[in-house]
Amino acid sequence: MRFSANLGFLWNDLPLPEAIRQAKAAGFDAVECHWPYNTPAEDVARALTDTGLTMLGLNTRRGASGENGLLALPDRVQDARAAIDEAIAYAVKIKTPSVHVMAGNTSGDEAHRTYLENLRYACLKARPHQITILIEPLNPYDAPGYFLKCAKQAEAIIRELNLPELRLMFDVYHQQITGGDICCNFKKLLPIIGHVQIASVPERSRPDTGEINYRFILSYMRDLGWQRPVGAEYRPAGATEGSLGWLKPYQNEL
């Protein structure tokens, strides 16, 4: 099993290029981030080249305070598409294969129609660059009011649009809170999953704490054929280096 360091949470006190280098030194196989836009893409690309790591994914901007994304907001279509263009352009510059497009805090039929139209736009823009567009359900405790609420809703949207670029971000932390039944849901959704992320529940801390048995879950995923790096998107209690003990047993298996 290989792992990607999510630099939105890990080493997030460092400039992004230095965080990439720290992830390499810690033994991660890849990296991913949230919003890299304040860092010149050339600096990120240089750090990725120096370390040999791939930046697996990044997010579209969250918009104004309280919006938490733009794609499903009916009165923000122009801004949503500008955010999509920006994210894809940045991803191309640093050779990132996936973009997570954030839906925003909204609900209703008009929001659903807007979301689908913007997802079609994102997939069309991503297609020439062979970039995957990811959508991620967020749990109601961390993201109250978020449009994309559960894996069942995300699955229905992906199947309705039937676009090859559109895939599901299977975040085990959010899935455990919103639906549970991790293994059965992973097996069912595997054909449409584009990326996997992990953290403990309920604290969203290092994955060897809390109520989820990741040794079992990750072995199950591997046995089903999952071979891509799994994103470690957790909040360390203190310095990132002090939270990495969970990683060592997996490294020792190599």
Side-chain angles (χ1 to χ4, degrees):
M1 186 62 68
R2 295 179 295 150
F3 295 95
S4 168
N6 189 296
L7 304 179
F9 289 158
L10 305 183
W11 294 287
N12 63 1
D13 56 330
L14 299 176
L16 187 52
E18 179 57 28
I20 292 169
R21 294 184 170 91
Q22 289 296 321
K24 174 65 175 182
F28 281 97
D29 304 287
V31 290
E32 55 200 67
C33 66
H34 291 161
W35 304 283
Y37 306 108
N38 290 333
T39 305
E42 294 76 12
D43 294 349
V44 176
R46 187 177 306 112
L48 294 172
T49 297
D50 290 348
T51 58
L53 298 180
T54 298
M55 182 75 75
L56 294 182
L58 53 87
N59 296 350
T60 54
R61 289 189 186 267
R62 299 177 77 176
S65 176
E67 287 183 321
N68 207 20
L70 299 169
L71 266 75
L73 305 185
D75 60 344
R76 297 279 261 137
V77 171
Q78 185 175 351
D79 294 324
R81 297 190 178 190
I84 291 165
D85 292 345
E86 175 189 43
I88 290 175
Y90 199 104
V92 169
K93 289 179 181 177
I94 64 171
K95 299 180 181 179
T96 289
S98 299
V99 170
H100 167 216
V101 291
M102 301 194 68
N105 294 336
T106 186
S107 62
D109 292 341
E110 188 177 3
H112 179 81
R113 288 191 294 270
T114 301
Y115 191 46
L116 265 60
E117 290 168 3
N118 282 328
L119 287 175
R120 288 190 187 97
Y121 176 87
C123 289
L124 185 63
K125 286 289 184 175
R127 187 168 299 165
H129 309 292
Q130 297 181 307
I131 287 174
T132 297
I133 298 298
L134 296 172
I135 60 174
E136 179 183 13
L138 304 181
N139 78 76
Y141 303 107
D142 289 291
Y146 194 69
F147 177 78
L148 198 60
K149 301 180 186 305
C150 63
K152 184 177 180 180
Q153 180 190 7
E155 179 188 14
I157 288 169
I158 291 170
R159 298 202 185 283
E160 179 179 355
L161 287 174
N162 193 30
L163 294 167
E165 295 81 18
L166 188 59
R167 312 283 282 183
L168 173 68
M169 175 97 78
F170 191 90
D171 187 310
V172 179
Y173 167 76
H174 290 297
Q175 174 63 37
Q176 173 71 356
I177 294 171
T178 58
D181 204 5
I182 300 300
C183 290
C184 288
N185 277 300
F186 180 82
K187 184 176 182 179
K188 173 191 172 189
L189 296 168
L190 182 56
I192 61 169
I193 293 174
H195 187 47
V196 174
Q197 292 178 329
I198 60 172
S200 73
V201 177
E203 298 91 354
R204 204 174 192 179
S205 184
R206 50 187 284 175
D208 59 347
T209 64
E211 67 189 39
I212 299 178
N213 181 355
Y214 276 113
R215 292 293 289 177
F216 178 84
I217 296 257
L218 293 172
S219 294
Y220 182 86
M221 291 178 174
R222 183 188 58 204
D223 291 345
L224 284 179
W226 187 263
Q227 297 181 343
R228 283 170 278 176
V230 169
E233 190 187 39
Y234 68 91
R235 295 187 177 97
T240 297
E241 287 80 2
S243 76
L244 299 177
W246 66 272
L247 187 60
K248 297 190 183 301
Y250 297 98
Q251 294 172 327
N252 292 338
E253 289 175 359
L254 297 178

